[in-house]
Amino acid sequence: MTERIREFLRNRREDGPCMILDLEVVRDNYHAFSRALPDTRVFYAVKANPAPEVLQLLARLGSCFDCASVAEIEMALAAGATADRISFGNTIKKERDILRAIELGIRLLAVDCQAEVDKVARSAKTLAAEDVRVFCRILCDGAGADWPLSRKFGCVPDMAPDVLEHAHRQGLRAHGVSFHVGSQQGNTEAWDGALASASLIFRTLAERGIALKM
């Protein structure tokens, strides 16, 4: 707890439960994360805390944003983020929401099956949108996490090359791979297997003449 929060609590009039968040801590955490991962783009998951003050601060700091819905995309844009700094990371999207996202300028979308690729491709064609990029979310072992999330989204890694090649053949840009090792993951080795799967997918696609970037 920071001194600023303690000061707020000392002077606060009791009127029920509340959540207190120090924006200076958010700023410091963003800078620490960025420094720890140089040459990367940090994407903040809007669902973690969509408070306008948080989003506006992160937008000013240069953060990118991962959004799970059109509403979250609109929040990120309203906070000052540009469309090129936003990904639509939900792999189960209504086609009308894909259309709306592309209308808003979003060009980076998650998929985890060929049917989802087809929805993105149809929407891109309808809007004559260029440079629409997709990344494939893969399953990985969430062992060690308080919330594994291993069955929520994603395809088995062996499927990913075919999903991404299908996107390439549909006129989309096969852009990369994503994974989630689980929330509150205490096992630092959990990333090893996921990164190994991603590496194999990169190599497989390269052998097919498709260069992934993310």
Side-chain angles (χ1 to χ4, degrees):
M1 186 182 297
T2 67
E3 183 54 40
R4 295 176 75 230
I5 291 177
R6 291 191 180 93
E7 180 67 20
F8 175 86
L9 291 172
R10 282 193 292 268
N11 295 297
R12 174 177 174 261
R13 180 177 62 84
E14 288 291 340
D15 60 354
C18 69
M19 189 198 79
I20 304 166
L21 186 146
D22 190 336
L23 290 175
E24 290 187 3
V25 174
V26 175
R27 181 201 63 205
D28 292 345
N29 285 345
Y30 174 81
H31 285 316
F33 201 73
S34 298
R35 286 193 298 270
L37 293 168
D39 301 319
T40 67
R41 301 174 76 200
V42 176
F43 281 74
Y44 174 74
V46 173
K47 66 183 178 184
N49 186 331
E53 297 86 351
V54 173
L55 302 184
Q56 289 163 9
L57 170 64
L58 290 170
R60 288 197 301 273
L61 293 174
S63 179
C64 299
F65 296 87
D66 185 64
C67 300
S69 66
V70 170
E72 290 186 4
I73 290 170
E74 291 172 340
M75 289 178 197
L77 291 169
T82 52
D84 63 303
R85 289 160 57 190
I86 297 172
S87 70
F88 198 170
N90 190 340
T91 62
I92 305 173
K93 302 176 287 297
K94 295 182 177 70
E95 198 154 341
R96 65 173 179 268
D97 289 345
I98 296 171
L99 276 165
R100 179 58 180 153
I102 293 175
E103 283 179 336
L104 290 170
I106 308 306
R107 295 293 183 270
L108 182 60
L109 302 95
V111 296
D112 63 2
C113 64
Q114 292 191 8
E116 193 73 13
V117 168
D118 291 339
K119 287 190 287 183
V120 176
R122 283 194 298 269
S123 297
K125 184 176 181 180
T126 296
L127 297 171
E130 298 180 354
D131 197 34
V132 176
R133 294 161 289 153
V134 297
F135 57 97
C136 187
R137 179 160 171 171
I138 58 171
L139 292 169
C140 59
D141 185 1
D146 290 348
W147 298 93
L149 301 174
S150 59
R151 300 296 179 197
K152 191 173 182 182
F153 302 112
C155 65
V156 295
D158 287 349
M159 283 179 55
D162 290 340
V163 172
L164 289 165
E165 184 177 3
H166 182 65
H168 175 75
R169 296 188 184 284
Q170 291 294 314
L172 303 171
R173 180 141 46 115
H175 192 56
V177 179
S178 72
F179 56 81
H180 197 317
V181 298
S183 289
Q184 311 309 311
Q185 175 59 267
N187 174 20
T188 56
E189 295 180 358
W191 280 265
D192 293 349
L195 288 168
S197 293
S199 177
L200 179 58
I201 293 165
F202 267 63
R203 290 199 303 272
T204 302
L205 268 294
E207 290 168 358
R208 301 182 187 183
I210 300 169
L212 302 181
K213 300 292 186 182
M214 184 189 80

